[in-house]
């Protein structure tokens, strides 16, 4: 092995590599792309001040041509995304299970780039739409790039890749009028669901709170497919990958999500960007579920079926490491837009299975990159370059960057000592797992994939009463937007196979006939791990709006700010005007935003401090009352102290109840914030 191949990758490897491509214009003179200094950049070259522009103006032509070509096709799906850098570290050697080098040494920090995304919307659509979220991770390992291209939902709509174009055509805006944007609440999507009931399980997830995450920092990630781990001895196990957010899994409420889409369409990317700009860390633990090869058929579902998950209660998730995201990208086009993920980018020790959805993906991603990035050399784009060396005989093509030396571009050869030569398994060469495969060529699906409803029912069984209500409302909203009565009826009929109450309530909500009776799935299994009520709860990194005007109670506010800071909670002063707000004893605070520029939906919780003047001013303002009553109707924690309680009572119509802390007890307030939402509140 050459010396450079032995160079260890570390946390900074990718950043160091990117450094040579970074450009900083500050302090520089302007030049053309040929390096010629430009003397003038505001007037094209003309024949006389009122005359025609001259062809000769190479600077104008270059500038305009470049501009004309600035866009590349957006991704067919997952067009709206946002990337961030960080690193991954394994907790202990995984030698027993896999030979993947980046999973062996706890002291190694493997650089990563993660791109989060929505699926359906165009590049400029809103972040908080109801949808699955993409969670794609590129690990720059010393053995090459490994891509874990997952979603925040552990199952998928379809079982065979050949149906993907149909699914996507159905969920995207309808082709005749290009509506609606970034929403599945329309006829073609629900027509697809009704006629392709394998989608039932995933639809239960997208209709649940998982479809509207509070933050990318607060959602899980799943590899979805069953992969293989293979160890040094060649022993293989089936494996599923999980990302578990350290802050727990939390969601918005639908009314809030829709309002945020207007108030701040960048809500999720802003949250990520700002957290990292402010020095915060974004962390997920990596977990694996493993099944021995000999146990492949021990379950009442097919472990190769991507519409099925492996309940954590049956196959525990082993936590094996942590990913820390801590550096924002420098340029969204160069990094987020040009990053090219591919589930086929694997390293020795990680292998595929015959999941027919995965198999099709192994074709689709390279094909997509070729059209999006304009040729076969996209691996040379800085964000896609491996940090380990790469050598082969693949030469030429559009935008080739490498200057390969010498006459030899073929294998085998004698003129170049047979270099570059394949590496043996011991030398790190990738060897596919030798799974025995035989069968007839048939276009059929295994019968073991035919149960569409048991796990959809298991998901339903696992939801809390509040989560069930959210699912019913989401169905009523989405299917309620469908114009075809026939499609609406079909949808209700399909979901009567999942749960009778769900189907009946949706039928009632959208005004169609009651669904057929007595055909709901008899699945009784419940998986507590699926309910967000059982997740980690912490106030850390939450954002509190402190409503105050001149005359606020100085000490109460000072104490609140100190307590929030201590707990890692961001507290913003919201006031009728920007500038300084003065307390009754002269304390001066800077307002972060006004009732015009801020909005209740952009915060996790509200606090109203005392001070008669401040309270009277706020009570007289509709915007302040709306701020509080909206937080109340979105089940958020609301605290008040002193006279601040008057505004709370006025806006919420009550001064006590779940998540309301009217007596200024900061500890209780932060506990209520940590709870995320107070579903047992009477709205
Ligand atoms: Fe993708 N998917 N997908 N997908 N997918 C793409 O690749 C595709 C599937 C996922 O942030 C495309 O570069 C097929 C499942 C993510 O850049 C495309 C099938 C899962 C991203 C493509 C699937 C995903 C993509 C579009 C069915 C979860 C965004 C642009 C067989 C495990 C990656 C691109 C990023 C992107 C094809 C199903 C996740 C067209 C054919 C299942 C996170 O190649």
């Amino acid at each position: 092995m050459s010396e450079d191949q032995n160079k260890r990758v570390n946390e900074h490897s990718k950043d160091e590599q990117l450094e040579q491509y970074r450009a900083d214009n500050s302090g520089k003179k302007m030049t053309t792309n040929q390096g010629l200094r430009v003397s003038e950049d505001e007037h094209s070259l003309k024949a006389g001040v009122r005359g025609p522009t001259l062809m000769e103006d190479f600077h104008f032509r270059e500038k305009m041509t470049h501009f004309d070509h600035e866009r590349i096709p957006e991704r067919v799906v997952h067009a709206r995304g946002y990337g961030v850098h960080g690193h991954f570290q394994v907790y202990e050697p995984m030698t027993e299970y896999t030979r993947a080098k980046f999973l062996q040494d706890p002291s190694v920090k493997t650089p990563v780039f993660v791109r989060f995304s929505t699926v359906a919307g165009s590049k400029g659509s809103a972040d908080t739409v109801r949808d699955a979220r993409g969670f794609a991770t590129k690990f720059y390992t010393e053995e090459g790039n490994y891509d874990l291209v997952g979603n925040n939902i552990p199952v998928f709509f379809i079982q065979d890749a050949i149906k993907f174009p149909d699914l996507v055509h159905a969920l995207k805006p309808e082709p005749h009028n290009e509506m609606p944007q970034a929403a599945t609440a329309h006829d073609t999507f629900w027509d697809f669901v009704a006629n392709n009931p394998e989608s039932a399980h995933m639809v239960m997830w997208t209709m649940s709170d998982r479809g509207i995450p509070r933050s990318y920092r607060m959602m899980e990630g799943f590899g979805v497919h069953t992969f293989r781990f293979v160890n040094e001895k060649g022993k293989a196990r089936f494996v599923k990958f999980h990302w578990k957010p350290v802050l727990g899994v939390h969601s918005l409420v639908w009314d809030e999500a829709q309002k945020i889409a207007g108030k701040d369409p960048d809500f999720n990317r802003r949250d990520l960007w700002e957290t990292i700009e402010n020095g915060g860390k974004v962390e997920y633990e990596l977990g694996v579920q493993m099944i021995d090869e000999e146990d492949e058929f021990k379950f009442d579902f097919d472990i190769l079926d991507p519409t099925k998950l492996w309940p954590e209660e049956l196959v525990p998730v082993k936590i094996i490491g942590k990913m820390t995201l801590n550096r924002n990208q420098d340029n969204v086009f160069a990094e987020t837009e040009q990053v090219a993920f591919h589930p086929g980018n694997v390293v020795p020790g990680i292998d595929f299975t015959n999941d027919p959805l995965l198999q099709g993906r192994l074709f689709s991603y390279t094909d997509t990159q070729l059209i999006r990035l304009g040729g076969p050399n996209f691996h040379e784009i800085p964000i896609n370059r491996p940090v380990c060396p790469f050598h082969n005989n693949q030469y030429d093509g559009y935008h080739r960057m490498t200057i390969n030396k010498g006459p030899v571009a073929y294998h085998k050869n004698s003129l170049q000592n047979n270099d570059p030569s394949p590496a043996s398994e011991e030398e790190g060469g990738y060897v596919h797992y030798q799974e025995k495969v035989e069968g007839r060529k048939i276009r059929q699906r295994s019968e073991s994939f035919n149960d569409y409803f048991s796990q959809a029912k298991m998901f339903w069984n696992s939801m809390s009463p509040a989560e069930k209500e959210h699912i019913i409302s989401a169905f009523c909203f989405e299917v309620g937007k469908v114009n075809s009565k026939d499609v609406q009826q079909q949808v209700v009929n399909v979901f009567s196979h999942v749960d009778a109450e769900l189907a009946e309530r949706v039928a009632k909500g959208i005004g169609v006939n009651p669904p057929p009776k007595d055909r709901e799935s008899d699945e009784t299994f419940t998986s507590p791990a699926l309910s967000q009520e059982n997740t980690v709860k912490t106030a850390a990194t939450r954002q509190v709006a402190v409503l105050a005007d001149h005359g606020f109670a100085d000490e109460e506010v000072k104490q609140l700010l100190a307590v929030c800071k201590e707990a890692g909670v961001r507290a913003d002063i919201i006031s009728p005007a920007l500038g300084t707000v003065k307390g009754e004893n002269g304390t001066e605070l800077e307002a972060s935003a006004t009732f015009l520029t801020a909005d209740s939906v952009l915060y996790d919780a509200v606090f109203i401090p005392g001070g008669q003047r401040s309270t009277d001013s706020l009570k007289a303002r509709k915007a302040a009352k709306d701020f509080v009553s909206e937080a109340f109707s979105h089940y958020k924690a609301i605290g008040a102290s002193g006279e601040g309680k008057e505004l709370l009572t006025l806006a919420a119509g009550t001064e006590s109840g779940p998540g309301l802390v009217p007596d200024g007890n900061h500890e209780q307030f932060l506990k209520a914030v940590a709870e995320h939402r107070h579903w047992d509140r009477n709205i």
Side-chain angles (χ1 to χ4, degrees), residues 19-38:
E19 186 51 35
Q20 59 185 301
Y21 298 98
R22 288 197 182 108
D24 180 1
N25 277 341
S26 49
K28 308 278 165 46
K29 289 289 176 205
M30 182 185 286
T31 71
T32 66
N33 285 336
Q34 306 305 318
L36 177 72
R37 283 198 169 185
V38 169

Side-chain angles (χ1 to χ4, degrees), residues 74-79 81-82 114-119 133-136 148-151 153 155-158 160-165 222-225 306 336 339-341 343 356-369 372:
E74 65 173 33
R75 289 165 174 80
V76 190
V77 281
H78 297 268
Y82 212 60
V114 175
R115 184 176 181 275
F116 297 107
S117 51
T118 53
V119 180
R133 299 297 186 283
F135 189 141
L148 182 52
V149 196
N151 279 346
I153 290 179
V155 290
F156 202 62
F157 290 114
I158 48 170
D160 189 313
I162 199 167
K163 291 176 73 70
F164 192 64
F222 303 91
V224 176
H225 309 286
T336 289
V339 67
F341 291 98
L357 196 68
L358 172 61
Q359 292 284 321
R361 290 181 77 199
L362 296 179
F363 163 75
S364 175
Y365 288 69
T366 310
D367 192 37
T368 292
Q369 314 309 348
R372 287 198 65 243

Side-chain angles (χ1 to χ4, degrees), residues 476 503-512:
C476 289
E504 274 160 31
R505 297 230 355 233
V506 176
K508 228 179 180 178
I510 63 173
V512 297

Side-chain angles (χ1 to χ4, degrees), residues 8-10 88-90 101-102 105-110 142:
R8 288 315 279 277
V9 164
N10 65 46
F88 172 80
Q89 229 171 339
V90 73
K101 276 209 177 141
F102 80 104
D105 184 349
S107 72
V108 171
K109 292 182 175 178
T110 302
E142 61 186 285

